[in-house]
Amino acid sequence: MLIPTLPIYVERNGGDELAVGLVIGIFTVSALLTRPFAGKALDNLGRRKVMVIGLIIFILSMSGYYWVTTIFLILSLRVIHGVGWGITTTTFGTVISDIIPPERRGEGMGYYGLSSTLAMALAPLFGIWLMEKAGFGWLFFLSTMLAVFSLLISQTIRYPDIPAPASVEENKQRGKLDDLLEKKALFPSFLVMLLGLTYGGIVTFITLFGQEAGIANVGWFFLANALMVMLVRPIAGKLFDRRGHVWILLPGAFFTMVGLLLLSYSSSVPSLIFASLFYGIGFGAIQPTLQAWTINRVAVNRRGAANGTFFSGFDLGIGAGAMVLGFVAKLASYATMYRVSILFIVLYLLTYVLYLLKQKEQ
């Protein structure tokens, strides 16, 4: 609900375009820096404690928006909000991977992904409506209450037994950086970062692209994309469980590239929706598959670090994609920018195929 409304709140409190960019960007950076430490805490302190701490930080930051009215205070609150977001989302992903039976992990991750997809499809529209009809006070109040409700229902989770964390001697052998980042999760995290680079260009510049292309309402892209993601994820998850990641990650790359190419040539709402369907198939198949594959590659007591590494890669991709592709758009056009972003998926394909060939040799 805050994605489309918070920039307006910043502008009404005297912020310019730079301030809006900082408010959005500093949140991502804060979450990115938090995730590795959240992953380590999950493996060492336990799931329940970290979830409660993260949700409390999240609730306090959400309630704070009602009181802050200067750009400096909003930016400061966004840092705290990013910390809460980084902890909670990393925790949710880890707890889900603990609960889902290993033989149905791909399918389960697909169902789990539907929750965020549904939120991204409906909440922005509802947030704008609430802002216009009732004002920011009610917007922030309802957002805070949703976070409180999340904390309450989190207490009903039955956490499975997790093996004890590594001994002090094992931690010393791994080193401090290895303790924060899981090496076995780096390759899937790199692939999801490349996917995130394209997604960063979409969520950041789709509105400006619509103005350039003369498309009245680009919101249809997100709605159609979300619906397609919701349809694809359970199917892709079951296919992953039965046949493995190759059957998902290669076709998914093809659909993503076609979606980006069609998007770059879109000039009307129907053509925009058509492009979003292809991109939704690719994104909806690849992202949960990579997360399930990440979990399958690591030990049970390293799932927290693995999820922290994975989500950090995705966050890094979105943030870097916004900056790199924004520079491309400034030099050329937004349509050209989306064609250039296809190169990230080409790199994804080359890297993945080389990995498969190396695995075959071994």
Side-chain angles (χ1 to χ4, degrees), residues 94-223:
T94 304
V95 172
I96 282 291
S97 63
D98 292 337
I99 294 173
I100 298 171
E103 68 276 9
R104 300 184 67 188
R105 184 160 287 140
E107 182 185 357
M109 285 297 180
Y111 294 141
Y112 168 64
L114 293 180
S115 60
S116 58
T117 302
L118 185 64
M120 287 298 296
L122 301 178
L125 297 174
F126 179 70
I128 292 174
W129 176 84
L130 189 63
M131 175 192 70
E132 293 176 345
K133 297 297 182 181
F136 285 103
W138 279 102
L139 175 70
F140 296 144
F141 174 76
L142 183 57
S143 299
T144 303
M145 288 300 101
L146 288 171
V148 170
F149 186 55
S150 180
L151 175 61
L152 293 176
I153 62 175
S154 72
Q155 301 309 300
T156 66
I157 297 173
R158 295 182 179 180
Y159 297 86
D161 293 330
I162 303 299
S167 65
V168 176
E169 188 61 33
E170 287 176 312
N171 282 331
K172 286 181 178 179
Q173 291 177 359
R174 270 205 307 260
K176 292 184 178 179
L177 183 59
D178 291 341
D179 204 29
L180 292 174
L181 299 175
E182 173 54 53
K183 285 184 177 180
K184 293 180 180 179
L186 287 176
F187 184 66
S189 300
F190 175 72
L191 295 180
V192 84
M193 182 195 73
L194 294 174
L195 179 67
L197 285 165
T198 68
Y199 191 65
I202 289 177
V203 297
T204 307
F205 300 111
I206 189 72
T207 303
L208 297 173
F209 168 75
Q211 294 175 0
E212 176 185 89
I215 302 174
N217 189 357
V218 295
W220 286 104
F221 180 93
F222 291 107
L223 185 58

Side-chain angles (χ1 to χ4, degrees), residues 217-278:
N217 189 357
V218 295
W220 286 104
F221 180 93
F222 291 107
L223 185 58
N225 179 75
L227 291 174
M228 185 54 64
V229 168
M230 291 177 67
L231 291 174
V232 166
R233 274 185 161 161
I235 299 172
K238 290 182 179 180
L239 187 59
F240 168 80
D241 292 329
R242 294 173 183 174
R243 305 301 296 269
H245 50 79
V246 177
W247 287 75
I248 309 297
L249 298 183
L250 289 177
F254 168 77
F255 280 101
T256 304
M257 289 191 293
V258 172
L260 289 168
L261 185 62
L262 291 174
L263 175 61
S264 70
Y265 287 103
S266 296
S267 57
S268 63
V269 170
S271 60
L272 188 74
I273 293 175
F274 192 55
S276 72
L277 297 180
F278 275 87

Side-chain angles (χ1 to χ4, degrees), residues 17-35:
E17 291 83 357
L18 177 60
V20 171
L22 285 173
V23 165
I24 301 301
I26 203 169
F27 175 84
T28 303
V29 171
S30 177
L32 174 65
L33 295 176
T34 300
R35 290 193 192 279

Side-chain angles (χ1 to χ4, degrees), residues 66-122:
Y66 182 81
W67 308 101
V68 297
T69 55
T70 67
I71 301 303
F72 174 77
L73 290 177
I74 294 174
L75 284 170
S76 301
L77 194 59
R78 285 294 277 177
V79 173
I80 302 172
H81 192 180
V83 170
W85 176 260
I87 295 174
T88 52
T89 50
T90 304
T91 304
F92 292 153
T94 304
V95 172
I96 282 291
S97 63
D98 292 337
I99 294 173
I100 298 171
E103 68 276 9
R104 300 184 67 188
R105 184 160 287 140
E107 182 185 357
M109 285 297 180
Y111 294 141
Y112 168 64
L114 293 180
S115 60
S116 58
T117 302
L118 185 64
M120 287 298 296
L122 301 178

